[in-house]
């Protein structure tokens, strides 16, 4: 019975990290579109900002959640395998390992989504360097939280 409780805790931490990165990254797409609209002299009110962000949370977050889920599954499995030889040394912490794995894994998943869809950028927040940096940082935070949660298990 103890293994089921431990597995449930790992699964909860994993889903929490995927939800967290989704909640943090989805508004980047809205911000990207709104900045572009503002650059072509389109008037933007607070109502449009709220409506755009809520629309992206309803319609885009399930897709981004799946992308982050797949990215985190692959990157966290690789991170746990790479961390095994270093777990008894003070070279790198578990939290930092999962943070870096999540950040690079999400960037790679976004890159693959562009390449596999013939150069189409579905994630508008990743079109500019600032968006890529925010995606990287938010994924790192999410992976770091995952690492700190499973360290306590």
């Amino acid at each position: 019975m103890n293994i089921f409780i431990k597995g449930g805790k790992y699964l909860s931490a994993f889903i929490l990290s995927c939800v967290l990165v989704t909640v943090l990254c989805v508004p980047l797409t809205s911000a990207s579109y709104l900045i572009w609209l503002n650059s072509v002299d389109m008037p933007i009110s607070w109502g449009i900002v709220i409506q755009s962000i809520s629309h992206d949370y309803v319609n885009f977050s399930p897709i981004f959640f799946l992308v982050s889920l797949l990215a985190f599954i692959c990157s966290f499995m690789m991170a746990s395998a790479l961390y095994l030889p270093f777990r008894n040394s003070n070279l790198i912490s578990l939290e930092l390992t999962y943070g870096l794995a999540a950040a690079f894994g999400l960037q790679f998943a976004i890159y693959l989504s562009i390449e596999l869809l013939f150069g189409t950028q579905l994630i508008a927040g990743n079109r500019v360097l600032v968006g890529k940096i925010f995606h990287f940082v938010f994924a790192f935070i999410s992976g770091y939280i995952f690492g700190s949660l499973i360290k306590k298990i």
Side-chain angles (χ1 to χ4, degrees):
M1 187 66 180
N2 191 15
I3 193 163
F4 293 117
I5 293 172
K6 193 172 182 179
K9 288 180 181 180
Y10 276 106
L11 184 63
S12 298
F14 178 75
I15 290 175
L16 175 71
S17 67
C18 291
V19 167
L20 180 64
V21 78
T22 301
V23 166
L24 292 174
C25 288
V26 165
L28 294 175
T29 299
S30 302
S32 175
Y33 284 130
L34 292 171
I35 290 169
W36 175 75
L37 286 173
N38 192 29
S39 72
V40 293
D41 296 328
M42 181 80 161
I44 299 170
S45 66
W46 282 108
I48 291 174
V49 171
I50 302 270
Q51 196 173 27
S52 175
I53 291 173
S54 64
H55 180 269
D56 279 349
Y57 271 124
V58 169
N59 295 316
F60 180 59
S61 60
I63 296 166
F64 196 86
F65 179 79
L66 289 175
V67 169
S68 66
L69 185 83
L70 294 173
F72 285 1
I73 285 173
C74 297
S75 62
F76 287 170
M77 285 187 346
M78 287 187 351
S80 66
L82 291 173
Y83 183 73
L84 282 177
F86 302 106
R87 71 176 177 254
N88 293 328
S89 69
N90 291 331
L91 221 62
I92 189 167
S93 69
L94 183 69
E95 297 92 346
L96 188 60
T97 302
Y98 281 108
L100 290 172
F104 285 111
L106 186 65
Q107 286 296 323
F108 187 66
I110 292 171
Y111 171 77
L112 278 181
S113 71
I114 294 166
E115 291 301 316
L116 295 175
L117 295 171
F118 309 107
T120 305
Q121 291 232 4
L122 294 178
I123 301 172
N126 205 47
R127 290 183 184 155
V128 294
L129 181 62
V130 174
K132 290 178 185 186
I133 291 170
F134 275 119
H135 277 106
F136 188 87
V137 168
F138 292 155
F140 177 83
I141 291 169
S142 192
Y144 192 90
I145 289 172
F146 175 78
S148 66
L149 287 174
I150 67 165
K151 191 175 189 177
K152 296 174 184 176
I153 298 175

